Amino acid sequence: KRDGKDTVGFIGSIKHPIIERYFAGYTQGLKTIDPNIKIIVRYSNTIQDVFQTSLIAKNIYSEGAYIIYHVSGEAGKGIIEEAIAQNISGYKCWVVGAGVDDYSKGIYTNGSVVLTSMIKKYDLVVESLLQMKANGSLEPGMAYNFSLEQEALGIPDSNPNLDSEILNIASHFISRIKKKEILVSEYLP
């Protein structure tokens, strides 16, 4: 919003409840900052086809998006490659990764096209599960949901493309979500 832009994108691998949870969080966060933001949503129906996701990203950028959040597995490489191509041709745009820190995947001559990433902290989840097993509270067959509250999700420790003002705002919202002052729904109505 600070850049005066009003359109972003989302590329999910498939329309599935797990992917929809990512989209729900993304949408709620965006709408908190700018209720009028336009979100262009597409699904690639692949987690491997880099060419397919690159074409989808090209179309979303051509529709005016300046950021695409991807939840598309290894196919996300195509989105990053398209963002690099767009930046080289003069259109400033970004990618937000999911799952792991994608920053290094987006490096080209002028920096990285990866603004930040939503990362899963698998090490903390495994540690929590092992502690639950050790104290007898781990129930076989039970599904466990790890979130910001358990610090199982977050942004990378290093975010070269985010300035301190944006990082402070993000930290403020993360803190409010953890305290349940802001409730994030797993799915959109």
Side-chain angles (χ1 to χ4, degrees), residues 1 17 21 48 55 77 91 102 121 129 131 145:
K1 182 169 179 151
R21 288 168 66 185
Q48 296 176 332
L55 290 176
K77 182 179 178 190
Y91 182 69
D102 280 339
K121 299 179 182 177
L129 291 170
Q131 287 175 354
N145 188 16

Side-chain angles (χ1 to χ4, degrees), residues 5-189:
K5 308 286 186 169
D6 67 352
T7 305
V8 297
F10 174 86
I11 300 176
S13 55
I14 57 172
K15 195 163 177 69
H16 183 276
I18 292 172
I19 305 302
E20 293 302 298
R21 288 168 66 185
Y22 286 91
F23 177 64
Y26 180 58
T27 300
Q28 291 168 75
L30 290 168
K31 296 289 184 177
T32 298
I33 301 298
D34 181 358
N36 299 314
I37 196 156
K38 179 182 176 189
I39 306 168
I40 302 167
V41 181
R42 302 284 190 277
Y43 293 88
S44 63
N45 295 314
T46 182
I47 58 170
Q48 296 176 332
D49 190 339
V50 172
F51 181 72
Q52 172 75 8
T53 56
S54 177
L55 290 176
I56 294 169
K58 184 175 187 171
N59 288 331
I60 292 174
Y61 288 130
S62 74
E63 292 179 51
Y66 73 109
I67 297 172
I68 294 176
Y69 176 41
H70 86 86
V71 184
S72 54
E74 289 301 312
K77 182 179 178 190
I79 300 160
I80 293 168
E81 288 173 357
E82 182 57 33
I84 290 170
Q86 292 285 330
N87 276 275
I88 288 171
S89 70
Y91 182 69
K92 184 72 172 171
C93 60
W94 300 98
V95 176
V96 173
V100 298
D101 184 357
D102 280 339
Y103 182 84
S104 65
K105 296 175 189 171
I107 293 175
Y108 73 115
T109 54
N110 292 334
S112 176
V113 297
V114 176
L115 186 60
T116 191
S117 298
M118 185 290 302
I119 60 171
K120 296 178 186 176
K121 299 179 182 177
Y122 296 107
D123 55 334
L124 297 176
V125 171
V126 170
E127 183 180 327
S128 294
L129 291 170
L130 289 172
Q131 287 175 354
M132 291 168 69
K133 173 73 172 151
N135 69 24
S137 63
L138 183 67
E139 296 179 38
M142 180 71 173
Y144 294 93
N145 188 16
F146 292 90
S147 65
L148 276 175
E149 290 176 46
Q150 297 84 18
E151 308 216 0
L153 304 173
I155 59 175
D157 291 333
S158 176
N159 286 282
N161 288 326
L162 298 179
D163 63 33
S164 60
E165 179 186 359
I166 297 295
L167 289 169
N168 287 337
I169 292 168
S171 179
H172 170 74
F173 278 101
I174 288 168
S175 175
R176 291 188 63 204
I177 291 167
K178 286 180 181 180
K179 294 176 186 174
K180 298 195 184 293
E181 294 172 0
I182 297 175
L183 299 177
V184 180
S185 219
E186 287 191 21
Y187 301 100
L188 295 176

